């Protein structure tokens, strides 16, 4: 939840998929880990017990190219299911952070933040989660307020008991979505 609440978008990686479809390329802004059609400027590894050799080799290649690799929490002490110090040696070359909290955000924010949702004083709104997708020249942004109480949700239900969108065109002057560097225009 730490990254979500701080509006840092991410995907989960799968070591099998990565072994088949991932490669390191030189993007316009620096090294990129490409998995299928998706591109990543950073990789965060959560606490884990074991790591595949193919994943370690890919991460080494990404790191050597200048990519950001962050170990968040206890790194794997096993490689391919066998005790090994190999991962631990690689960890010393990478950024390290605790798995939750501000240290994790600081470790990835500069390289990974695409947008911020802030209040009128410029403070992040942790309950505002978002999904940002790019399709050609267009960006699609979905923002969800997760701070509703049960009573607020009850008032938002129609006669059948389904929650519904109310006032989807309403303005919220106290909330700002701050642009991101690769955005060609202003969100509407």
């Amino acid at each position: 939840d730490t990254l979500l609440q701080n509006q840092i978008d991410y995907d989960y990686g799968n070591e099998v998929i990565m072994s088949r479809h991932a490669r390191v390329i030189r993007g316009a802004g620096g090294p990129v880990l490409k998995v299928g059609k998706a591109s990543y400027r950073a990789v965060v590894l959560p606490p884990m017990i074991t790591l595949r050799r193919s994943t370690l080799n890919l991460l080494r290649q990404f790191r050597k190219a200048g990519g950001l690799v962050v170990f968040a929490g206890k790194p794997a002490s096993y490689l391919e299911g066998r005790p090994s110090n190999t991962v631990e040696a690689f960890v010393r070359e990478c950024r390290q952070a605790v798995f939750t909290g501000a240290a994790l955000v600081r470790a990835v924010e500069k390289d990974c933040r695409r947008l911020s949702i802030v209040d009128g004083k410029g403070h992040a709104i942790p309950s505002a989660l978002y999904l940002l997708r790019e399709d050609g020249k267009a960006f699609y942004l979905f923002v969800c307020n997760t701070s509703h109480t049960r009573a607020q949700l009850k008032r938002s239900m129609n006669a059948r008991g389904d929650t519904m969108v109310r006032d989807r065109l309403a303005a919220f002057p106290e909330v700002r979505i701050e642009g991101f560097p690769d955005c060609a225009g202003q969100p509407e």
Side-chain angles (χ1 to χ4, degrees), residues 19-90:
S19 71
R20 294 179 185 155
H21 303 286
R23 64 191 188 287
V24 177
I25 63 168
R26 175 65 53 188
V32 172
L33 180 65
K34 192 99 167 131
V35 183
K37 292 184 178 183
S39 299
Y40 303 94
R41 294 180 300 230
V43 176
V44 176
L45 289 95
M48 51 187 8
I49 296 170
T50 190
L51 191 66
R52 296 181 102 190
R53 187 173 306 282
S54 61
T55 304
L56 180 60
N57 291 339
L58 182 66
L59 294 173
R60 280 180 171 152
Q61 183 183 1
F62 183 55
R63 175 72 185 106
K64 186 176 179 181
L68 175 61
V69 178
V70 178
F71 282 86
K74 188 177 185 314
S77 54
Y78 289 77
L79 186 64
E80 297 286 348
R82 294 193 172 102
S84 174
N85 296 338
T86 308
V87 177
E88 187 178 312
F90 178 59

Side-chain angles (χ1 to χ4, degrees), residues 116-148:
S116 297
I117 303 170
V118 297
D119 63 19
K121 295 179 182 175
H123 300 116
I125 303 173
S127 62
L129 305 182
Y130 79 92
L131 176 67
L132 177 68
R133 290 296 173 247
E134 185 176 354
D135 179 19
K137 293 182 181 178
F139 286 89
Y140 301 91
L141 176 63
F142 170 78
V143 179
C144 178
N145 178 2
T146 63
S147 69
H148 287 299

